[in-house]
Amino acid sequence: MEKGIFEGLKVLDCASFIAAPAAATVLSDFGADVIKIEPPVSGDPYRNLPNLPGYPHSEHNFAWMLEARNKKSIALDLSKPEAQAVLYRLVAEADVFITNFPPNVREKLGLTYDKLAPLNDRLIYASFTGYGEKGEEANKPGFDSNAYWARSGLMDLVRADEETTPARSVAGMGDHPCAMAFYSAIVTALYRRERTGKGGHVSTNLMANGVWANGVLAQAKLCGAKFSRRRPREQALNAVTNHYKCKDGRWIILSLLNEERQWPTLAHCLGRDDLVTDERFATKADRHARSVELIRIFDEVFATKTLAEWRKLLDGNGLVFGVVGILDDIPNDRQMLDNGVLVPFENDTMLTVSSPIWIDGEKKVQPRKPPGIGEHSEEILHKAGYDEAAIEKLRASGAVA
């Protein structure tokens, strides 16, 4: 088995759903030993996500495969003192403890930083919340759809125009960026521990990450900037940084920031060299002043060729653009495959999405399939020093499954 940079690092993933557990997944990609702590019988409720209305149908639990790869599972009923005692023993030997329970639930279950820190002065206690750990919303449940996407202003801003409804998020689109922030907080604390020998408490939340993602416009508002209305695509202020529909229904987005130099090349690629000498579009200022007129021309031209044809033509002339990707593109995306963005599971041809970090000279472990509920309970308890009689007693009490 491949070893990673975090080989020997012991991580307790006592969290649910996506953002916090996904940070543990990134640690596991680099070799950390991650133990998933989840309730008996039902397990992490995230296991059930693909069964909810509107999600894709698959014979595989795709959500769990992504978030719980490489991990081992122990099923503990943390409402029972016996299960809490097991957790405390695991904490005493752990490097990182991850939770996303609200502060009041942590208090109820005996999982606060003040409770766990005395058990292990090298412990990194990492807590994740919806809205932060202070103030009147500290205990309010948060999901990325509301605390990240909606609260930050992104839901309002990222829509075709002001007349359409706010843009809905898709599963995990805020959680996964938040996981990377959470991971960075944990790794920063580990670095500090290397220098001081001491652990500590790190945290982040969905709301903070959402505003950070929307930071450019949030900062503009904080500076008292004046905002103009969000225009529909057909009325965009710049035709060469707009998106267009191809003959086959696919979309591309032009991103020509060096407009003065690239304008003649673009006109040539579009088969409209006449636009270069057209007085209406002679200068950059002219083109911006008549952007609506120019967009109409571009719409007609882009509708004459397929996406594949436009990609070849625009790439061949060094023009900057992007493909508006669809899910059907991903499994065979050569650039993603060549760069290890998509990697196969161990002993399988099925692909998964790798964490978006690479370190020269360090290998990630090959992804291993996720565990069943409590699949490794006995193994973990044995390593923690419990004998068969003690394990049987824990099972009989319902504390462990």
Side-chain angles (χ1 to χ4, degrees), residues 13-28:
D13 172 5
C14 189
S16 61
F17 278 86
I18 303 178
T25 303
V26 181
L27 291 167
S28 79

Side-chain angles (χ1 to χ4, degrees), residues 6 124 184-198:
F6 289 134
I124 307 301
S184 69
I186 293 167
V187 172
T188 303
L190 287 170
Y191 176 72
R192 185 179 69 174
R193 191 181 75 173
E194 286 297 302
R195 302 178 71 182
T196 66
K198 298 293 185 182

Side-chain angles (χ1 to χ4, degrees), residues 374 376-379 381 389-401:
H376 304 94
S377 292
E378 191 167 335
E379 173 191 332
L381 290 169
I391 293 173
E392 187 53 42
K393 186 175 180 180
L394 286 168
R395 291 190 187 281
S397 71
V400 174

Side-chain angles (χ1 to χ4, degrees), residues 235-250:
Q235 296 175 21
L237 294 172
N238 189 349
V240 302
T241 57
N242 203 13
H243 48 285
Y244 298 95
K245 191 175 183 179
C246 306
K247 183 178 182 180
D248 54 358
R250 296 294 304 272

Side-chain angles (χ1 to χ4, degrees), residues 48-105:
N48 191 52
L49 184 81
N51 297 323
L52 298 178
Y55 282 91
H57 297 286
S58 173
E59 60 180 304
H60 304 285
N61 190 335
F62 50 85
W64 190 245
M65 290 175 74
L66 177 62
E67 250 61 71
R69 63 170 179 246
N70 309 330
K71 300 178 184 181
K72 295 180 179 179
S73 170
I74 182 171
L76 294 177
D77 183 350
L78 292 174
S79 67
K80 297 182 181 295
E82 299 92 336
Q84 292 175 18
V86 171
L87 178 64
Y88 296 157
R89 188 178 295 195
L90 296 175
V91 164
E93 299 297 323
D95 294 289
V96 181
F97 176 81
I98 292 174
T99 185
N100 64 350
F101 290 134
N104 61 345
V105 177

